[in-house]
Amino acid sequence: MFDRIRAYVAGFGGSADAENAGLRERRAHNLFEAAAAHVAARAEDDQDQIDETATWVSPEALSFGVSELACRAVIALARERDESPRAVARDLLGLPTA
């Protein structure tokens, strides 16, 4: 009788583990996590990863995240180079200095 109870309870543990694994796979991605992964994939020219990250959040959220990442990157580079963010942004895009 106790063997049947143990087997029954063990069945719950197994299905709970499977459900938790499914939740981990389906969890919602943070828009900044999606933006970071998307930009990194673009930098590495990894089309499969680009396509996947584009599905993690809405296009609007991804656009916002990429924009925020770009702003933070330009600010960090400007501080590192001791230049204005405008000069750094223009330099990164290959534009002449204004």
Side-chain angles (χ1 to χ4, degrees), residues 12-13 19 33 37-38 42 44 46 49-50 53-54 63 65 72 74 77 80 82 84 91-92 95 97:
F12 282 125
E19 288 176 20
E33 177 184 31
H38 189 76
R42 297 226 17 220
E44 295 168 352
D46 182 350
Q49 187 67 20
I50 292 168
T53 57
S63 177
R72 292 178 188 195
V74 167
L77 279 173
E80 185 178 293
D82 197 27
S84 73
D91 182 52
L92 288 172
L95 299 173
T97 55

Side-chain angles (χ1 to χ4, degrees), residues 4 10 21 25 43 63 76 89:
R4 293 174 86 191
E25 290 175 14
S63 177

Side-chain angles (χ1 to χ4, degrees), residues 29-42 53-54 56-57 61-70:
H29 290 274
N30 176 299
L31 72 97
F32 295 116
E33 177 184 31
H38 189 76
V39 169
R42 297 226 17 220
T53 57
W56 289 0
V57 294
L62 185 60
S63 177
F64 174 78
V66 169
S67 177
E68 186 65 23
L69 178 60

Side-chain angles (χ1 to χ4, degrees), residues 71-81 88:
C71 289
R72 292 178 188 195
V74 167
I75 289 168
L77 279 173
R79 288 179 182 156
E80 185 178 293
R81 295 179 180 184
V88 170

